[in-house]
């Protein structure tokens, strides 16, 4: 009995379907049989699943774009979109959870300047407390970003998605590692993004951003 070996295109589709179903992690080298083998990302073992999957999907997309495989990048793009949407949902949940004790709260006991610097927030934009207006605006911005992600899933605007990845993953890393800072800093960061405030990390390579995300988690996560 003869066996039928799937062609490269069919094999690619099978690899992506298996990754989306959770049956097999998607590796950058799986995306194209002619693509050079890619190193796996190291240092994600203790990351939350939502962050890890979003970063891994983004890595696969970036590698595909860097090796001139636009169709492959387009195929991976929905995985990146879903990952970012999940992270934005978690940030919104954290803001909602903080709401009962947020309003009228005094400034945090610990200064947030260092964490604000991680998010690209200048010292002169720091606010000692967040009111209802800022809180509602932050949730509206998250809703708008999630709508943008839905549009990107069909428009395939990779440059715009790269900016969203840069912002959302960084904010998610801070929210996960220093959740007590979310109520104060997330509204400011979201407002800056909505206003298209300059962000030097937009021009960073994936490797630079990945190293920064890992350093941030190491610096902000309390020792256990």
């Amino acid at each position: 009995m003869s066996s039928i070996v799937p062609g490269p295109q069919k094999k690619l589709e099978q690899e992506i379907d298996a990754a989306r179903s959770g049956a097999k992690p998607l590796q950058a080298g799986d995306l194209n049989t002619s693509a050079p083998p890619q190193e796996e990302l190291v240092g994600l073992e203790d990351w939350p699943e939502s962050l890890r999957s979003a970063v891994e999907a983004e890595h696969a997309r970036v590698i595909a774009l860097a090796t001139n495989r636009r169709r492959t990048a387009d195929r991976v793009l929905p995985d990146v979109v879903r990952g970012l949407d999940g992270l934005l949902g978690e940030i919104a949940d954290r803001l909602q959870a903080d709401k009962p004790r947020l309003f009228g709260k005094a400034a945090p006991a610990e200064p947030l300047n260092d964490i604000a610097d991680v998010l690209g927030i200048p010292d002169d934009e720091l606010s000692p407390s967040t009111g209802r207006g800022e809180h509602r605006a932050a949730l509206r911005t998250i809703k708008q970003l999630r709508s943008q992600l839905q549009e990107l899933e069909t428009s395939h605007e990779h440059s715009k998605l790269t900016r969203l990845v840069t912002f959302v993953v960084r904010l998610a890393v801070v929210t996960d590692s220093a959740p007590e800072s979310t109520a104060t800093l997330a509204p400011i960061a979201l407002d800056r993004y909505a206003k298209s405030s300059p962000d030097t990390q937009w021009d960073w390579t994936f490797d630079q951003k990945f190293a920064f995300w890992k350093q941030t988690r190491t610096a902000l996560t309390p020792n256990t």
Side-chain angles (χ1 to χ4, degrees), residues 60-118:
R61 184 184 73 94
V62 168
I63 292 297
L65 289 173
T67 51
N68 297 316
R69 291 175 292 130
R70 176 61 184 256
R71 291 180 63 184
T72 299
D74 288 347
R75 286 180 177 274
V76 179
L77 184 146
D79 296 328
V80 180
V81 166
R82 280 190 289 274
L84 296 184
D85 184 75
L87 294 178
L88 285 170
E90 292 176 3
I91 295 168
D93 289 344
R94 181 69 202 186
L95 283 170
Q96 292 284 30
D98 284 343
K99 185 166 61 173
R101 56 187 177 83
L102 174 64
F103 306 124
K105 182 180 177 181
E110 295 294 329
L112 297 177
N113 300 68
D114 290 343
I115 303 178
D117 186 59
V118 167

Side-chain angles (χ1 to χ4, degrees), residues 42-167:
V42 177
L44 293 173
E45 296 79 9
D46 61 342
W47 286 40
E49 174 59 29
S50 55
L51 262 173
R52 183 170 64 249
S53 60
V55 170
E56 288 174 342
E58 171 63 1
H59 182 234
R61 184 184 73 94
V62 168
I63 292 297
L65 289 173
T67 51
N68 297 316
R69 291 175 292 130
R70 176 61 184 256
R71 291 180 63 184
T72 299
D74 288 347
R75 286 180 177 274
V76 179
L77 184 146
D79 296 328
V80 180
V81 166
R82 280 190 289 274
L84 296 184
D85 184 75
L87 294 178
L88 285 170
E90 292 176 3
I91 295 168
D93 289 344
R94 181 69 202 186
L95 283 170
Q96 292 284 30
D98 284 343
K99 185 166 61 173
R101 56 187 177 83
L102 174 64
F103 306 124
K105 182 180 177 181
E110 295 294 329
L112 297 177
N113 300 68
D114 290 343
I115 303 178
D117 186 59
V118 167
L119 294 171
I121 300 173
D123 288 348
D124 60 1
E125 292 187 24
L126 282 176
S127 174
S129 61
T130 304
R132 288 180 173 82
E134 291 84 357
H135 184 268
R136 286 195 296 267
L139 293 175
R140 282 198 302 270
T141 299
I142 289 175
K143 185 176 181 180
Q144 291 166 359
L145 294 182
R146 298 179 86 171
S147 296
Q148 288 180 25
L149 286 171
Q150 292 178 357
E151 296 172 1
L152 288 173
E153 192 162 3
T154 55
S155 68
H156 293 174
E157 295 181 60
H158 286 277
S159 60
K160 190 171 183 179
L161 182 58
T162 296
R163 288 191 171 194
L164 269 171
V165 169
T166 303
F167 173 75

